[in-house]
Amino acid sequence: MEKQRDKKEKKFRINYQLMVQHLPFFLFLSGLAVVYIYNGHNSDKIIKSISRTNKELRELQFEYKTLKSEVMFRSKQTEIAKTVAPLGLMELTTPPVVIKKDAGQK
């Protein structure tokens, strides 16, 4: 009965030689864990960067649309007339005169 107990103890006992023998595998697993953690942090950083860039792009699109509508409004004929009225410029009420050159003159 004592022999059976010794065999069971040997099966479950971890000895120094066994640990040294499997040390490279444990180091490999540790390296894998470090790489996995680094990959998670790196992907979080990239996602934050993409989110920040999308937010900035959205703001620039809004600004572009606002400025475009403002330019379109200010380039209307009536708005231009209101803007240049203090300078003394007015719209022509008579059609322009076409000056034709005679064929005989150079």
Side-chain angles (χ1 to χ4, degrees):
M1 191 149 136
E2 203 170 297
K3 287 183 181 182
Q4 288 178 353
R5 190 179 303 163
D6 288 341
K7 285 182 181 181
K8 286 184 182 179
E9 286 179 11
K10 284 185 181 180
K11 283 184 182 179
F12 295 111
R13 189 198 288 168
I14 298 175
N15 60 15
Y16 180 74
Q17 186 179 11
L18 187 65
M19 288 183 65
V20 170
Q21 184 181 2
H22 292 295
L23 186 64
F25 181 68
F26 292 135
L27 291 176
F28 172 72
L29 290 179
S30 300
L32 262 169
V34 169
V35 169
Y36 184 75
I37 292 169
Y38 169 76
N39 189 23
H41 287 292
N42 194 28
S43 63
D44 286 344
K45 186 173 80 171
I46 289 172
I47 288 171
K48 286 179 184 177
S49 173
I50 290 171
S51 175
R52 192 177 323 114
T53 305
N54 282 338
K55 184 177 179 182
E56 185 178 336
L57 177 65
R58 220 175 302 122
E59 288 176 7
L60 289 174
Q61 285 175 342
F62 291 145
E63 184 178 347
Y64 166 75
K65 289 176 184 177
T66 304
L67 290 175
K68 183 178 177 184
S69 67
E70 187 177 330
V71 167
M72 297 264 299
F73 177 74
R74 288 184 184 218
S75 64
K76 285 183 182 179
Q77 183 179 359
T78 55
E79 290 300 316
I80 292 174
K82 287 179 188 176
T83 307
V84 296
L87 300 174
L89 300 174
M90 293 182 290
E91 288 184 66
L92 290 177
T93 54
T94 59
V97 178
V98 178
I99 303 174
K100 292 186 180 180
K101 186 176 180 183
D102 290 339
Q105 295 179 351
K106 286 191 174 182

